[in-house]
Amino acid sequence: MSATHEVFNQVEPLVDYNLFAGNQALGAALKFNAPALDTAHLHALGATLGSADMQTHARLANVFTPQLKSHDRFGHRIDQVEFHPSYHALMTAATATGLHGTPWGEGSANPHLSRAAGFMLFTELEPSMLCPISMSYAVTPALRDNPAIYADWAPQLTSRAYDPALKLWKDKAGVTMGMGMTEKQGGSDVRANTTQAVPTGSDHWGQRFSVTGHKWFFSAPMCDAFLILAQTPSGLSCLFLPRVLPDGTLNPLFIQRLKDKLGNKANASSEVEFAGATAWLVGEEGRGVPQILAMGTMTRLDCALGTSGLMRQALSIALNHTSQRMAFGKKLIEQPLMKNVLADLALESEASTALALRLARSFDRPEDEHERAMQRLLTPVAKFWICKRGSHFAEEAMECLGGNGYVEEGGEGIMARIYREMPVNSIWEGAGNIMALDLLRALRKADAAAALAQELAPARGMHAALDHLAESLPTRVEQMATEMEARRLAQDVALAVQAALLAQTAPPAVFGAFCDSRLAGHWGHSFGSLGAGVDFDAIIQRAQPR
Ligand SMILES: Cc1cc2nc3c(=O)[nH]c(=O)nc-3n(C[C@H](O)[C@H](O)[C@H](O)COP(=O)(O)OP(=O)(O)OC[C@H]3O[C@@H](n4cnc5c(N)ncnc54)[C@H](O)[C@@H]3O)c2cc1C
């Protein structure tokens, strides 16, 4: 083909690099939260996830999306979801790394923090297939309240083998689990659930029920079992509902259709109906909401981790692109205003990483009172603030690539995928307002203000604006903000904790610019409006992916 022009000034995509080795913010956060943590496995994972092969799997799993096979060719219901082999390859890799239930079976010192770093790295590659991985991780604290079921299922839940076959759990090498709360008439307000559960006796797994009704959102329906909410005679209760019953027959769970979603393409999200499905009680009858929220707390952690991972990947691609692309006689990364955008994104990414990993640490130390207080306080704060910042962040990072950022194809197309993925972490597992309102509930605990003050204390005297915010927060917490002020309070707690963490984990250039912009007001309403005096080069250099 004779060329009409020379192709030049297009960039080499970011591929075959180590996602962990280049991530200084992640390394610093790990060192702060667990100084003795052995990160060799994260180095290995980072290299695998940055490979061209894995990027291809991620692309294919999103292009060839899951297909519902409701019936076989003879008309029997089978309710199966068919996935591209690349989806299974990604699931195999995530399970082998132990991102699902494995931390609950480990005796190491920081299993949740270590897993959190791996989850963040994997999200950079492909976030949507991590939905069943996240739910399988999250289920344990709630499921343990039915000791008989947990004893039977824990070995497969913690196993590092991925086994997608629809068959009896004890014949499988590994299992996954999902959750079903949301119905047509209400998702945030699950008390509106109408699905009925009628008692049918009891057996080895405890009280048994026959469940009739529906779920309007039911992600990863090919999981082996689910925790669901349904109305029993004592009120809304948490039930364990397996796809295959202990006698080997299929439980009547009918997948009505798959959702056609904005993003999150590799993950199947469905609508289902239960037609007299068998399920067993988990926890106390009538106390289903707090019971299933033990699972929700863990998935909320993953929303914060996942969004931080997506931010990091978007930033890495933006840095890779602008380091190569020329415009107006300079590399884009050398243009002063682009420096401002990139440095501002880098601050946000590092602050999100610091907050998400700080929260993850609290799950490793449930015996410590302060860590328990931080877990309760920072779960809604991190889920609210990091996820709220995600979409704005992705849009700005995409714009760094100009038109190529908006195109789906090839390496740069990851950016479009990230952009489409971002909003879901804010919506599911408790949308923004619900998280801010949950913070108000957390603050009703007597020691919340003192715990927050203790958390911020190490950064005292390091920046006037942080001191000012830190001094005002305990009073605002004690006076208890009204619902109308809840988002503002969640934002301010998030910013204060992020700043205090950066004081302890990041170089002065990062900490100073974060406080000046986010706390002292030397900032605009868009990324790229950092004030003068910022060491842009130092911040950008620290964030470079290679
Ligand atoms: C891709 C995807 C997958 C999903 N997978 C699952 C799944 O596997 N299992 C599952 O159970 N659910 C799942 N969900 C559902 C999700 O958790 C709900 O959509 C979410 O909790 C919100 O519920 P809703 O859609 O009923 O909206 P609503 O509850 O109607 O909320 C709408 C808006 O109103 C706000 N709001 C609600 N109450 C208040 C209040 N008191 N004050 C102020 N604002 C308020 C909310 O913040 C939200 O912005 C999924 C959703 C998506 C998008």
Side-chain angles (χ1 to χ4, degrees):
M1 187 76 190
S2 66
T4 58
H5 61 283
E6 183 192 348
V7 178
F8 68 102
N9 199 23
Q10 292 284 357
V11 309
E12 290 297 323
L14 187 57
V15 65
D16 288 330
Y17 75 111
N18 189 317
L19 268 60
F20 181 72
N23 192 339
Q24 294 195 44
L26 177 57
L30 287 174
K31 204 165 210 151
F32 170 71
N33 287 296
L37 186 74
D38 180 358
T39 56
H41 66 292
L42 295 170
H43 270 282
L45 181 64
T48 305
L49 298 180
S51 70
D53 280 355
M54 291 304 272
Q55 287 190 0
T56 301
H57 282 314
R59 186 176 63 77
L60 292 176
N62 279 275
V63 171
F64 300 100
T65 54
Q67 303 292 318
L68 174 61
K69 302 286 171 200
S70 59
H71 297 79
D72 69 10
R73 63 193 173 116
F74 305 109
H76 306 111
R77 278 209 81 121
I78 52 170
D79 296 282
Q80 300 256 20
V81 181
E82 199 169 61
F83 293 88
H84 189 271
S86 283
Y87 174 89
H88 294 300
L90 294 169
M91 287 292 288
T92 302
T95 310
T97 311
L99 301 184
H100 58 304
T102 309
W104 302 106
E106 278 186 2
S108 64
N110 306 98
H112 295 284
L113 183 73
S114 171
R115 178 261 175 200
F119 188 83
M120 214 181 243
L121 291 174
F122 213 106
T123 312
E124 290 199 48
L125 174 71
E126 209 304 292
S128 55
M129 47 61 62
L130 288 176
C131 173
I133 295 290
S134 172
M135 292 193 290
S136 303
Y137 166 64
V139 77
T140 291
L143 188 61
R144 279 195 295 221
D145 285 338
N146 183 320
I149 296 178
Y150 186 67
D152 283 351
W153 281 65
Q156 274 87 346
L157 265 173
T158 52
S159 139
R160 290 187 185 235
Y162 169 62
D163 184 346
L166 181 61
K167 58 185 187 190
L168 195 58
W169 95 92
K170 54 187 170 191
D171 297 335
K172 295 187 56 155
V175 296
T176 51
M177 282 194 65
M179 72 200 300
M181 295 185 282
T182 310
E183 297 185 4
K184 292 182 176 111
Q185 67 283 354
S188 309
D189 187 3
V190 289
R191 291 167 306 176
N193 275 194
T194 60
T195 295
Q196 295 295 316
V198 177
T200 57
S202 66
D203 57 29
H204 166 64
W205 282 351
Q207 271 182 275
R208 205 178 50 236
F209 293 83
S210 172
V211 181
T212 303
H214 80 285
K215 294 294 165 189
W216 181 232
F217 281 93
F218 199 74
S219 282
M222 63 294 158
C223 285
D224 296 282
F226 305 86
L227 289 189
I228 65 153
L229 287 179
Q231 302 283 358
T232 70
S234 300
L236 204 54
S237 301
C238 177
L239 303 173
F240 171 84
L241 192 150
R243 283 214 61 185
V244 181
L245 292 168
D247 66 4
T249 57
L250 277 187
N251 213 357
L253 177 160
F254 300 132
I255 306 174
Q256 302 300 89
R257 59 176 171 170
L258 298 187
K259 298 284 193 189
D260 184 5
K261 297 173 288 183
L262 167 67
N264 197 249
K265 296 286 187 186
N267 179 36
S269 299
S270 68
E271 299 162 15
V272 296
E273 293 192 3
F274 311 117
T278 303
W280 286 261
L281 183 66
V282 176
E284 203 182 318
E285 198 178 338
R287 299 271 305 150
V289 177
Q291 188 66 38
I292 210 163
L293 279 183
M295 182 174 184
T297 297
M298 307 305 304
T299 53
R300 287 169 183 175
L301 164 67
D302 279 1
C303 291
L305 292 168
T307 302
S308 305
L310 290 175
M311 283 183 181
R312 172 63 196 168
Q313 179 63 199
L315 174 65
S316 296
I317 296 171
L319 288 165
N320 179 66
H321 183 94
T322 53
S323 297
Q324 298 177 57
R325 175 84 166 174
M326 303 281 294
F328 300 97
K330 281 184 186 163
K331 286 182 180 160
L332 281 174
I333 202 168
E334 291 162 356
Q335 297 286 3
L337 194 48
M338 183 58 90
K339 280 189 186 191
N340 201 324
V341 172
L342 293 168
D344 211 353
L345 291 173
L347 295 180
E348 194 70 31
S349 173
E350 178 148 5
S352 298
T353 298
L355 177 56
L357 284 181
R358 167 66 188 93
L359 174 60
R361 177 180 105 198
S362 69
F363 290 89
D364 278 325
R365 309 254 301 280
E367 71 291 347
D368 182 316
E369 199 181 326
H370 179 67
E371 293 302 309
R372 272 202 313 280
M374 281 303 109
Q375 182 183 312
R376 181 66 190 94
L377 203 67
L378 294 185
T379 299
V381 164
K383 160 79 163 83
F384 169 74
W385 184 243
I386 295 174
C387 298
K388 272 281 153 266
R389 301 291 290 153
S391 292
H392 186 187
F393 187 104
E395 179 265 326
E396 202 64 64
M398 178 193 283
E399 195 166 316
C400 292
L401 277 64
N404 283 357
Y406 197 69
V407 170
E408 297 279 353
E409 199 182 344
E412 310 266 68
I414 299 173
M415 202 61 116
R417 209 160 73 214
I418 291 171
Y419 180 70
R420 285 187 274 102
E421 185 72 13
M422 278 296 194
V424 79
N425 276 342
S426 191
I427 292 174
W428 64 12
E429 307 303 339
N433 284 355
I434 299 303
M435 287 301 92
L437 294 174
D438 189 51
L439 173 64
L440 296 191
R441 269 190 297 279
L443 295 179
R444 285 193 199 113
K445 288 213 162 233
D447 55 355
L452 183 58
Q454 183 183 335
E455 186 69 15
L456 301 178
R460 204 187 185 92
M462 293 176 74
H463 195 286
L466 176 56
D467 283 349
H468 182 70
L469 179 60
E471 275 156 27
S472 73
L473 275 179
T475 317
R476 284 169 66 191
V477 164
E478 261 159 12
Q479 284 171 351
M480 197 84 69
T482 65
E483 288 196 9
M484 202 63 91
E485 301 161 288
R487 273 188 182 227
R488 185 60 198 258
L489 185 61
Q491 168 191 310
D492 288 349
V493 173
L495 290 174
V497 175
Q498 285 181 325
L501 289 168
L502 292 180
Q504 299 166 82
T505 61
V510 170
F511 169 65
F514 185 86
C515 292
D516 287 347
S517 55
R518 274 73 171 167
L519 307 186
H522 303 305
W523 207 32
H525 287 281
S526 71
F527 284 108
S529 50
L530 297 174
V534 167
D535 190 344
F536 295 100
D537 290 333
I539 297 169
I540 291 171
Q541 191 50 44
R542 177 173 170 80
Q544 283 287 4
R546 287 188 199 268

